[in-house]
Amino acid sequence: MRHAHPVETVRAAEAELMARLPEGALMQRAAAGLAATCARLLKGRRGRVYGGRVTVLAGSGDNGGDALYAGAALARRGARVTAVLLAPGKAHAGGLAALRAAGGRVTVEQEVGLADFSRADLVLDGIIGIGGRGGLRPAAVPYAEARRRGVVVAVDLPSGVDADTGEAPGAVLRADVTVCFGTYKPGLLVDPGASYAGAVQLVDIGLTLPHAELTALQHADVAALLPLPLPGAESDKYRRGVVGVAAGSVTYPGAALLAVAGALRGGAGAVRYVGTAAEEVVRRFPEALVTEGGPAGAGRVQAWVVGPGGGEGARQALAEALASDVPVLVDADGLTELGRLGPAALAGRTAPTLLTPHTGEAARLLAGAEGTAPPAAADLAATRLATARRLAAAYRATVLLKGSTTVIADPGGAVRVNPTGTSWLATAGSGDVLAGLAGSLLAAGLPPLDAASAAAYLHGLAGREAAGSPGAPVTAMAVAQALPAAWRAARGA
């Protein structure tokens, strides 16, 4: 599992460690790890470090110092290193002296710096560290816009990205590789910041850190969450869980099929469908249990999925599901109805609730909670970490905010970000499959944070499997059909 900590926590841990180490030792640890990664990259590109062209973009403060010390280490191995000082007079004195002593060249001329940048084999981005706010300064913007030949390595964070949120208020110097120190930063795992970070590598510098509120799952974590061990001799469909699906309408019957398809591959023992698409559901999925009417008269279920393609019937289905004492996942048209009702609709519930909005639905939910006009969906997409936390707090529910980075926020404060997926998942019906899958995991007994994060992870893997390599358009049903392969991949089969 990847653990991410905010800047304030990292700074406190660094201060505690520096108080026990000789002066400068912590920076030397970071620079050594950074230089080792750069050397590997140069060898991969050129076969050797010696003679490689390296440009160090050095801002003020410790981030620039890390880059300068790493540049000095590369210069001692024969690399031709030029440091471009973007904050003349404020460069880290020790790092600058080390680079010069190793034979590195130093310039403050932007024309020279841009020329070196464009022809370098490797560029070290030490412009702004994790404490930077507000994007790149004017002197650094040309480097974000310039063409480059070599690989760009960000020091702890791509310059221009907010370390705590992933927000990018202006130009950003896009990295091919980011070397982060001590712990991942939230901005490296959440878009738009994650999209600028490239491959992220962690260098352990010995920090002692508290429990992380923001994490990203990996294969082994998902395998541990799935409703396993495998079904045994005493298992039956009720012990494994029954998920109810209230979805589809005359206008959108396909949403019912896709939600049921996701639910059937989600680990629960049975799927019970209610809605207007019963005939189509049974024809396509004869194993589904079909009940007339709404959730109130459907019989035994361990969780409900309400809303995909629900149309005019979504309001009644939502009310009946929320009146039950089992977990409820609300999606699509169910979220629209919930936005009209506001958080009061969930006030009496004792069982968990999971909301799965995209940014447009998130805007309507926030409007219903705060009594304001819906905020712009684009603004919510740019601040997705804050948006997911805001929704979870307002509705006292777990929120799975869909998008380029899916963010799962728990009302207790825990946040998970999903690292899997492909842009080909941006296709009609993909969210219906995800809703059914997550609802099935709820019915199988997973808490909402685990069900949502495991479902997002598997859904992303299935999207990759369906799209193939190098990638091609997929349908939502193809994603549902790829879910068994995603399960096997996560479990290491």
Side-chain angles (χ1 to χ4, degrees):
M1 185 179 292
R2 290 182 168 184
H3 301 267
H5 292 82
V7 172
E8 183 179 2
T9 301
V10 173
R11 293 294 194 217
E14 288 175 340
E16 189 275 333
L17 182 56
M18 285 190 289
R20 297 186 282 109
L21 293 175
E23 184 176 356
L26 187 60
M27 181 173 285
Q28 292 296 337
R29 287 183 185 179
L34 176 61
T37 296
C38 292
R40 287 194 298 271
L41 290 169
L42 283 171
K43 287 181 179 179
R45 291 178 66 84
R46 306 181 66 256
R48 60 182 181 172
V49 176
Y50 187 88
R53 292 178 177 269
V54 176
T55 298
V56 177
L57 302 179
S60 60
D62 290 348
N63 189 256
D66 293 332
L68 289 167
Y69 275 119
L74 295 172
R76 288 193 293 270
R77 297 183 61 174
R80 293 179 288 174
V81 182
T82 299
V84 183
L85 305 186
L86 296 177
K90 297 182 180 179
H92 189 277
L96 191 57
L99 180 69
R100 283 181 165 139
R105 188 166 66 103
V106 177
T107 184
V108 296
E109 299 294 331
Q110 187 175 87
E111 184 175 342
V112 174
L114 284 169
D116 284 338
F117 176 87
S118 66
R119 61 174 178 254
D121 297 305
L122 184 143
V123 175
L124 270 169
D125 168 17
I127 304 173
I128 303 175
I130 59 175
R133 294 291 185 273
L136 288 177
R137 305 302 180 261
V141 170
Y143 294 93
E145 299 172 343
R147 297 181 65 181
R148 77 274 190 107
R149 179 173 72 91
V151 60
V152 174
V153 179
V155 181
D156 223 9
L157 189 81
S159 292
V161 170
D162 187 294
D164 282 346
T165 66
E167 296 170 21
V172 176
L173 180 52
R174 185 181 299 275
D176 299 293
V177 177
T178 296
V179 178
C180 60
F181 307 126
T183 183
Y184 295 95
K185 314 308 182 289
L188 295 173
L189 303 180
V190 180
D191 275 338
S195 67
Y196 290 106
V200 181
Q201 299 186 9
L202 178 65
V203 172
D204 183 3
I205 56 173
L207 300 183
T208 300
L209 294 158
H211 173 76
E213 286 191 352
L214 189 147
T215 56
L217 300 182
Q218 295 175 295
H219 271 30
D221 307 305
V222 176
L225 292 178
L226 294 177
L228 300 169
L230 297 171
E234 298 301 318
S235 295
D236 60 43
K237 61 177 179 280
Y238 294 107
R239 288 189 176 120
R240 291 180 57 198
V242 179
V243 58
V245 176
S249 60
V250 173
T251 306
Y252 302 110
L257 296 173
L258 292 166
V260 169
L264 284 168
R265 295 166 174 86
V271 176
R272 190 182 297 278
Y273 174 78
V274 298
T276 59
E279 191 172 322
E280 291 92 337
V281 167
V282 171
R283 185 182 301 115
R284 185 66 180 268
F285 303 110
E287 59 268 58
L289 312 175
V290 174
T291 305
E292 294 184 1
R300 180 181 175 184
V301 298
Q302 277 77 37
W304 276 106
V305 174
V306 179
E312 294 181 359
R315 175 175 297 186
Q316 183 63 31
L318 177 66
E320 292 182 15
L322 292 178
S324 70
D325 59 356
V326 301
V328 174
L329 182 151
V330 187
D331 185 49
D333 289 336
L335 293 170
T336 298
E337 295 300 330
L338 185 59
R340 293 178 179 140
L341 298 169
L346 307 181
R349 282 186 54 75
T350 56
T353 307
L354 172 58
L355 312 180
T356 57
H358 54 58
T359 51
E361 292 158 346
R364 294 192 286 274
L365 287 170
L366 287 171
E370 299 170 358
T372 60
D379 292 340
L380 300 185
T383 58
R384 58 182 59 255
L385 187 56
T387 297
R389 284 173 163 155
R390 187 173 159 195
L391 276 171
Y395 283 85
R396 301 298 301 166
T398 302
V399 172
L400 185 156
L401 180 62
K402 294 179 282 196
S404 59
T405 300
T406 294
V407 178
I408 303 100
D410 189 79
V415 176
R416 287 182 182 152
V417 296
N418 183 52
T420 65
T422 167
S423 57
W424 294 115
L425 279 170
T427 187
S430 175
D432 302 330
V433 174
L434 175 61
L437 171 61
S440 193
L441 291 170
L442 283 173
L446 272 66
L449 179 66
D450 290 344
S453 50
Y457 195 97
L458 293 171
H459 186 255
L461 288 183
R464 292 179 187 174
E465 173 75 17
S469 179
V474 300
T475 65
M477 190 59 78
V479 174
Q481 291 165 345
L483 283 172
W487 275 70
R488 288 189 290 270
R491 285 183 45 78

